Amino acid sequence: GAVVSQHPSWVICKSGTSVKIECRSLDFQATTMFWYRQFPKQSLMLMATSNEGSKATYEQGVEKDKFLINHASLTLSTLTVTSAHPEDSSFYICSARDAASGSYEQYFGPGTRLTVT
Amino acid sequence: GENVEQHPSTLSVQEGDSAVIKCTYSDSASNYFPWYKQELGKRPQLIIDIRSNVGEKKDQRIAVTLNKTAKHFSLHITETQPEDSAVYFCAASRDSWGKLQFGAGTQVVVTP
């Protein structure tokens, strides 16, 4: 099946700094990618829909100025957590659809564990 | 927007028994219902999915049923094995972009 990668797999940053997470579709083009956040023992919560070449669509309650999303190419979307705080510590997962295949299946990245100290 | 409820939150079964997880959704326009298995610290893995034009789908020990009228769908795992222990999530999607709304998850523990 299609493969989605994320980098880094884990990151520790200090409060107030920014951190960038990359999501790549390795063997297909993804016009749409999704960013989720998952706190321990909780479900995946959709943060935003990332569209290649246009602005991301954020879910209600997600601060677009804090979670910057850039989808500059058909294989890469980035999520930047700006001015990170300890409460932003979470597991961030991206996913992508291979729209050209006509499939509804979403392929998930391996996730990025963010710890803000 | 779509709301997906999932029950039970935890499920303990003896190896070899069956496990059933149920989900309900609120948006009658939802047309895609995947089920994911997630192990601790790992990505969700699609185990089976169903579209709204189908009432049932089976893949070896796993099956999913969909009742569009009642707006609920269920995951059935037969002959459970210890390696089936994980968190299972249902989800629903209504639009062509594929935005998924997840259920809260079910922790399944299969004891030998």
Side-chain angles (χ1 to χ4, degrees):
Chain A
V3 179
V4 173
S5 69
Q6 271 184 252
H7 178 81
S9 56
W10 61 270
V11 59
I12 301 173
C13 72
K14 293 188 175 181
S15 186
T17 62
S18 297
V19 61
K20 180 185 287 188
I21 302 170
E22 294 185 348
C23 177
R24 293 181 185 273
S25 56
L26 298 187
D27 50 3
F28 66 98
Q29 294 184 330
T31 53
T32 302
M33 291 183 173
F34 304 91
W35 287 96
Y36 297 86
R37 181 167 54 182
Q38 186 177 33
F39 292 108
K41 297 190 176 182
Q42 292 190 23
S43 186
L44 285 81
M45 297 299 297
L46 180 65
M47 299 175 66
T49 302
S50 170
N51 302 297
E52 187 267 336
S54 65
K55 292 183 178 180
T57 303
Y58 291 82
E59 295 300 301
Q60 191 173 5
V62 178
E63 301 174 57
K64 63 179 181 181
D65 294 329
K66 179 173 180 61
F67 298 98
L68 302 179
I69 292 173
N70 186 298
H71 194 152
S73 78
L74 287 172
T75 59
L76 174 64
S77 175
T78 60
L79 168 67
T80 301
V81 183
T82 63
S83 186
H85 289 102
E87 55 266 31
D88 297 325
S89 298
S90 188
F91 192 49
Y92 291 86
I93 310 175
C94 69
S95 71
R97 282 184 63 214
D98 182 0
S101 72
S103 170
Y104 274 47
E105 182 175 354
Q106 284 194 24
Y107 301 96
F108 284 85
T112 297
R113 175 77 57 192
L114 170 63
T115 302
V116 184
T117 62
Chain B
E2 175 67 278
N3 182 48
V4 177
E5 294 191 357
Q6 182 173 346
H7 299 280
S9 57
T10 59
L11 182 59
S12 293
V13 296
Q14 291 276 5
E15 182 178 0
D17 289 348
S18 296
V20 180
I21 304 170
K22 298 182 179 181
C23 288
T24 60
Y25 60 98
S26 60
D27 190 344
S28 57
S30 289
N31 58 9
Y32 175 63
F33 308 92
W35 284 90
Y36 294 90
K37 176 183 180 182
Q38 187 181 32
E39 298 178 348
L40 190 63
K42 302 288 183 63
R43 77 185 85 194
Q45 288 185 306
L46 178 71
I47 56 172
I48 197 166
D49 57 8
I50 192 168
R51 297 281 300 274
S52 60
N53 58 348
V54 176
E56 184 174 356
K57 185 177 178 180
K58 188 174 181 180
D59 182 4
Q60 298 183 329
R61 297 187 297 109
I62 295 173
V64 56
T65 58
L66 171 65
N67 184 325
K68 286 173 55 181
T69 303
K71 288 189 284 188
H72 67 69
F73 55 113
S74 300
L75 176 72
H76 304 252
I77 306 174
T78 59
E79 301 173 26
T80 54
Q81 301 167 3
E83 51 265 38
D84 293 329
S85 296
V87 179
Y88 291 80
F89 293 99
C90 64
S93 174
R94 65 162 286 176
D95 56 49
S96 59
W97 284 12
K99 190 167 73 171
L100 290 171
Q101 181 67 44
F102 281 82
T106 298
Q107 174 74 61
V108 174
V109 177
V110 181
T111 53

